[in-house]
Amino acid sequence: MNDEEERRFREFVAARSPALMRTATLLTGGDTHAAEDLLQTALAKAAGRWGRLENPEAYLRQVLYRQQVSLWRLLRTRRETTVAELPDAAGREDTTGAAELRIQMRRALARLTARQRSMLVLRYFEDCPEGEVAELLGCSVGTVRSTTHRALAKLRKLVPELEPGVVSRSPEFGNSPAEAWK
């Protein structure tokens, strides 16, 4: 831009900025800060093309409109939705206790025999009936019952939080010990 074009641009900005600012304010829904940003963006685009513009005001109004439409499109996908009531605070709970219990469970499971771990996983994690566990592991239903009983007793000793009813009363866990393993 040469000196003459720069002088004409400054005169135009000084003369037409209030009217263009009103347009930008209307386009932004009354947000004057957003309107100032919008007008500044449009003026910056116009300054780069100033010597080639036949009708600078029409060009600026078109840039204002198109820029604001682009912002609307961006905001539409990112806009937060306001609601009358906040959702349940379940997502904001401190899950440190749940993480600690999972770590303790993994350590305790590692201290069980492979057979005991297998039976507990099949019975409580996979939710298989005793007969199916017996068939899968090639033993009797009585062996499944006694081994499961001993494994649970050992787990409760290693992880006291697993005492009957403690896990199911805690909001972090479901109704079975398997929920603490996940």
Side-chain angles (χ1 to χ4, degrees):
M1 184 182 312
N2 62 34
D3 291 339
E4 177 62 26
E5 288 176 347
E6 186 176 340
R7 183 189 58 76
R8 283 190 2 246
F9 179 73
R10 288 179 186 270
E11 288 174 0
F12 176 82
V13 170
R16 298 305 302 155
S17 282
L20 292 169
M21 183 62 184
R22 283 190 297 273
T23 302
T25 303
L26 291 172
L27 286 172
T28 59
D31 185 349
T32 55
H33 297 294
E36 289 169 352
D37 290 343
L38 184 63
L39 181 56
Q40 186 172 355
T41 301
L43 288 172
K45 287 184 179 187
R49 304 183 64 147
W50 188 254
R52 298 172 289 184
L53 294 176
E54 292 179 25
N55 187 348
E57 187 156 352
Y59 176 80
L60 277 165
R61 289 183 186 279
Q62 185 178 39
V63 170
L64 286 171
Y65 172 74
R66 287 186 177 171
Q67 187 68 27
Q68 185 60 27
V69 168
S70 294
L71 289 172
W72 286 336
R73 287 181 181 151
L74 284 174
L75 291 176
R76 188 178 333 154
T77 59
R78 297 183 195 169
R79 183 164 294 168
E80 292 181 11
T81 305
T82 56
V83 293
E85 292 182 32
L86 293 175
D88 291 340
R92 297 184 213 145
E93 292 177 3
D94 181 20
T95 57
T96 308
E100 286 178 20
L101 184 58
R102 279 194 301 276
I103 291 168
Q104 289 177 351
M105 282 293 297
R106 286 193 179 119
R107 286 182 183 154
L109 286 170
R111 293 180 65 186
L112 297 176
T113 66
R115 184 180 185 110
Q116 288 174 328
R117 266 194 316 274
S118 300
M119 289 195 187
L120 288 179
V121 168
L122 288 170
R123 281 288 292 130
Y124 296 106
F125 191 74
E126 296 293 330
D127 202 25
C128 295
E130 292 170 340
E132 189 175 334
V133 174
E135 186 178 320
L136 287 170
L137 297 179
C139 60
S140 68
V141 173
T143 302
V144 170
R145 286 181 185 155
S146 64
T147 305
T148 301
H149 177 75
R150 282 192 299 275
L152 284 175
K154 189 171 182 179
L155 272 181
R156 287 187 184 114
K157 187 175 172 186
L158 295 171
V159 185
E161 290 85 355
L162 291 178
E163 280 301 316
V166 173
V167 172
S168 61
R169 286 194 306 262
S170 177
E172 294 103 25
F173 311 111
N175 294 324
S176 71
E179 294 296 319
W181 300 358
K182 295 179 182 175

